[in-house]
């Protein structure tokens, strides 16, 4: 089996996430893609994030239509802080003979050397599926110097550059600007029903 792992805060999930997920699944020939919702990301500081329950509901709604996409509780079930290295080891324990691909945007790849136990994380992944993101530059050579071996694991996902982010959607909602069509209608419905993101970050 070829298993993908897609970690994120998903606050809220949007079309950038879904397009990355679909293209990565296809281009890396994944049998299953696990969406790993991070309850409280260590690097996001004090920013108020939407309650876990609300993010779970949005993410479930976002991925419901695709049978190969699966919501994973692997980080919700264990106490924090949550490090991706541990997450990959836990997925490996469930799928011992599988190829594991961690998928991410280019900003995450750029920040990877600052992740806790980054070398352990890179060693644990068979593939790092990376989708480029507008304005996010990175230097694969410099990354390779900091994390030897990473270069051989990176596979770029071909996809259009998508200038969509959760932060930008949160701001749109707080400012009363349109946000429909940046995310699935089912996610927009959860946002409206729960009255999420009406206050600025
Ligand atoms: P925020 O603006 O709050 O940081 P985000 O849109 O970056 O949210 P995250 O939940 O932080 O969403 O992202 C999870 C993963 O998805 C990260 O690896 C991120 O790089 C990737 N990602 C998110 N949006 C895009 C996009 N438009 N193109 C490519 N990758 C993306
Ligand atoms: Mg982000």
């Amino acid at each position: 089996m070829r298993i993908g792992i897609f970690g994120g805060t998903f606050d809220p999930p949007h079309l950038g996430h879904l397009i990355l997920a679909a293209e990565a699944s296809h281009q890396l020939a994944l049998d299953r893609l696990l969406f790993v919702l991070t309850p409280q990301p260590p690097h996001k500081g004090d920013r108020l994030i939407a309650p876990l329950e609300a993010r779970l509901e949005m993410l479930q709604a976002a991925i419901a239509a695709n049978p190969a996409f699966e919501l994973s509780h692997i980080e919700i079930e264990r106490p924090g802080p949550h490090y991706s290295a541990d997450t990959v080891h836990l997925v490996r324990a469930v799928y011992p003979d599988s190829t594991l691909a961690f998928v991410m945007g280019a900003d995450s790849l750029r920040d990877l050397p600052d992740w806790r136990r980054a070398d352990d994380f890179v060693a644990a992944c068979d593939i790092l599926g990376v989708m480029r993101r507008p304005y996010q530059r990175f230097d694969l050579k410099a990354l390779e110097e900091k994390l030897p071996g990473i270069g051989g694991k990176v596979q770029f996902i071909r996809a259009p550059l998508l200038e969509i982010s959760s932060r930008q959607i949160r701001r749109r909602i707080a400012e009363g600007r349109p946000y429909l069509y940046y995310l699935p209608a089912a996610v927009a419905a959860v946002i409206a029903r729960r009255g999420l993101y009406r206050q600025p970050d």
Side-chain angles (χ1 to χ4, degrees):
M1 288 254 281
R2 293 171 67 86
I3 307 290
I5 305 171
F6 186 13
T9 316
F10 302 111
D11 189 21
H14 54 67
L15 295 190
H17 295 130
L18 292 167
I19 290 169
L20 168 56
E23 292 293 356
S25 294
H26 177 71
Q27 293 173 34
L28 303 177
L30 303 178
D31 297 295
R32 191 171 296 174
L33 180 57
L34 310 176
F35 283 68
V36 176
L37 184 66
T38 298
Q40 181 70 56
H43 61 281
K44 296 218 170 172
D46 298 335
R47 175 176 89 68
L48 228 64
I49 53 180
L52 181 60
E53 242 183 68
R55 286 182 292 131
L56 273 170
E57 191 184 353
M58 289 189 287
L59 189 53
Q60 188 70 71
I63 67 178
N66 192 325
F69 292 173
E70 192 178 304
L71 180 58
S72 165
H73 287 71
I74 201 162
E75 295 199 352
I76 296 168
E77 283 164 353
R78 67 179 201 269
H82 302 97
Y83 298 119
S84 300
D86 297 324
T87 300
V88 177
H89 288 303
L90 288 167
V91 173
R92 177 79 67 195
V94 179
Y95 301 100
D97 301 317
S98 294
T99 296
L100 297 188
F102 200 100
V103 307
M104 62 178 76
D107 55 318
S108 301
L109 178 67
R110 180 203 55 210
D111 297 341
L112 225 162
D114 301 327
W115 291 13
R116 194 66 66 92
R117 305 205 328 268
D119 44 355
D120 180 9
F121 168 78
V122 172
C125 295
D126 299 303
I127 299 169
L128 300 176
V130 178
M131 182 162 129
R132 296 180 193 275
R133 245 187 133 164
Y135 315 116
Q136 307 295 338
R137 305 197 155 277
F138 55 87
D139 179 347
L140 210 49
K141 248 195 182 154
L143 275 172
E144 176 68 33
E145 272 162 30
K146 288 187 187 162
L147 295 168
I150 192 171
K153 298 204 170 175
V154 170
Q155 291 191 29
F156 288 103
I157 309 298
R158 293 178 304 283
L161 274 180
L162 294 168
E163 200 174 342
I164 302 177
S165 67
S166 300
R167 165 197 272 275
Q168 180 200 91
I169 293 171
R170 292 192 300 270
R171 183 176 302 158
R172 286 178 161 275
I173 297 171
E175 293 174 354
R177 289 151 65 210
Y179 66 96
L180 284 179
Y181 317 122
Y182 291 89
L183 33 68
V187 175
V190 176
I191 291 174
R193 179 164 41 75
R194 289 183 174 258
L196 300 173
Y197 311 121
R198 291 195 187 148
Q199 309 298 325
D201 269 10

